[in-house]
Amino acid sequence: MTNRLGSSNPNRIPKITKTKSKKINLDKEKDIKSLIKHALKAQSNSKSKYSNFAVGCSLLCEDGTIIYGTNIESAAYPSTLCAERVAIYSALSQGYSNFKAIAIVSDNAAKPCGSCRQIIYEYLGDIPIYISDSKGSKHSTHIIKDLLPYPFG
């Protein structure tokens, strides 16, 4: 059996979570909170032993698939990746290219870094960006044009 990349190695494609029983409809507050809860689950997988700053991300694809991302740190700092880029790159490498929303959680509800903002601009477009703290009780809603008014390119 092969995966989407034509490999028989099941470890080649990261695990994804599919929402089959109920599609998330982002017109409802409870569905936004559901997407944030997925980001909180992703946050629990953070590999942030240097900064102790865990970030989780859930990316909602057009077909209802939710792809997780978490920050992964390395002692060689430049090879560290943010949760947002992990989720986006994972989705793109699996063949997903249409997205409905992204949720990002961290202890202090931090906004995405500059590199992540550029990648969000290039690959996600004008989808809602929900940012929450690690409790998931309150969130703010943004679009990339507000977070990155002057993108590169």
Side-chain angles (χ1 to χ4, degrees):
M1 188 161 123
T2 62
N3 59 28
R4 288 181 180 210
L5 293 178
S7 172
S8 60
N9 179 352
N11 298 319
R12 181 115 188 255
I13 298 286
K15 291 180 183 179
I16 58 175
T17 302
K18 293 196 177 203
T19 55
K20 291 184 180 178
S21 60
K22 178 183 156 194
K23 297 280 184 180
I24 291 181
N25 176 358
L26 294 168
D27 294 332
K28 299 180 181 177
E29 184 69 21
K30 69 178 183 174
D31 292 325
I32 294 169
K33 289 189 181 282
S34 176
L35 189 61
I36 290 169
K37 284 182 183 178
H38 281 284
L40 290 167
K41 287 181 188 176
Q43 184 185 32
S44 69
N45 296 323
S46 174
K47 304 298 181 205
S48 52
K49 66 182 182 178
Y50 300 104
S51 70
N52 293 313
F53 189 74
V55 180
C57 179
S58 58
L59 178 59
L60 178 61
C61 301
E62 192 68 38
D63 71 353
T65 301
I66 296 173
I67 302 201
Y68 287 9
T70 191
N71 57 323
I72 303 169
E73 296 179 352
S74 170
Y77 181 73
S79 51
T80 293
L81 280 177
C82 300
E84 301 91 315
R85 284 182 284 153
V86 169
I88 295 166
Y89 293 161
S90 178
L92 294 171
S93 69
Q94 294 176 62
Y96 294 100
S97 58
N98 297 310
F99 307 101
K100 291 173 94 174
I102 189 169
I104 306 159
V105 299
S106 63
D107 287 346
N108 64 353
K111 308 291 187 290
C113 73
S115 294
C116 288
R117 292 176 194 208
Q118 181 67 33
I119 294 301
I120 290 169
Y121 169 80
E122 288 185 43
Y123 293 102
L124 303 187
D126 288 330
I127 64 171
I129 302 166
Y130 303 109
I131 298 174
S132 177
D133 63 14
S134 296
K135 294 177 184 175
S137 55
K138 295 188 324 185
H139 71 272
S140 58
T141 304
H142 307 273
I143 58 171
I144 195 58
K145 289 178 183 176
D146 295 334
L147 298 176
L148 185 66
Y150 303 105
F152 182 78

